[in-house]
Amino acid sequence: MEVMHKIGRRKTAVARVYLAKGKGKITVNKKDMADYFTTATLQYKVNQPLTMTNNDGNFDITVNVYGGGITGQAEAIRLALSRAMCELDAENRLILKPEGLLTRDPRMVERKKFGQKKARKKFQFSKR
């Protein structure tokens, strides 16, 4: 295995993940993961597929991610890493699938309609 490339998406975030054999260093947009994702929850989301498949320190991971917010980006990276773990070993699919890590979340923001305040909220009607 040289370098493996996978893509993950969530809302409007798109993550391109590159895996190579290494010591377990994760780089997101040329920054260390701890600097890019400051909260422990987001770091856990990114590491989840690696810890579940016991591949914590086996790969150096480089990620290019754009679009969306910080949570959507973390979940896009999680999907891409899950797909990569499944390609490495078919047994990993049996671990990740029941947790829902291989499912692309289809929920998107509903567009705002004309004549309304927001997507579903209407302008207030006053009877005078």
Side-chain angles (χ1 to χ4, degrees):
M1 181 192 123
E2 291 168 15
V3 175
M4 185 187 295
H5 172 249
K6 288 288 169 192
I7 293 178
R9 293 184 182 91
R10 170 73 169 97
K11 290 188 175 180
T12 56
V14 179
R16 291 192 175 93
V17 172
Y18 302 91
L19 267 85
K21 288 280 186 203
K23 303 264 193 280
K25 187 168 176 18
I26 301 176
T27 310
V28 181
N29 289 350
K30 298 180 182 174
K31 290 184 182 179
D32 188 51
M33 186 189 68
D35 295 334
Y36 195 83
F37 296 115
T38 53
T39 63
T41 310
L42 295 175
Q43 291 173 16
Y44 169 76
K45 279 184 181 181
V46 171
N47 284 321
Q48 201 173 0
L50 299 171
T51 52
M52 290 180 75
T53 57
N54 299 322
N55 286 315
D56 291 32
N58 298 350
F59 301 101
D60 283 341
I61 300 166
T62 307
V63 181
N64 292 334
V65 65
Y66 62 91
I70 200 88
T71 306
Q73 288 183 351
E75 292 181 14
I77 293 169
R78 179 173 70 177
L79 177 61
L81 284 174
S82 299
R83 287 175 173 172
M85 293 300 113
C86 286
E87 190 169 307
L88 281 174
D89 187 7
E91 296 291 315
N92 290 339
R93 186 172 180 81
L94 301 172
I95 301 167
L96 297 172
K97 184 74 175 164
E99 298 296 318
L101 298 184
L102 293 173
T103 308
R104 199 269 197 215
D105 195 341
R107 294 177 296 173
M108 299 291 280
V109 176
E110 189 174 338
R111 77 173 194 87
K112 181 197 172 295
K113 281 75 167 189
F114 64 92
Q116 295 183 10
K117 200 173 182 87
K118 296 194 323 192
R120 301 213 173 170
K121 187 175 183 180
K122 312 286 192 282
F123 285 111
Q124 186 171 333
F125 178 74
S126 64
K127 198 175 175 183
R128 279 192 166 195

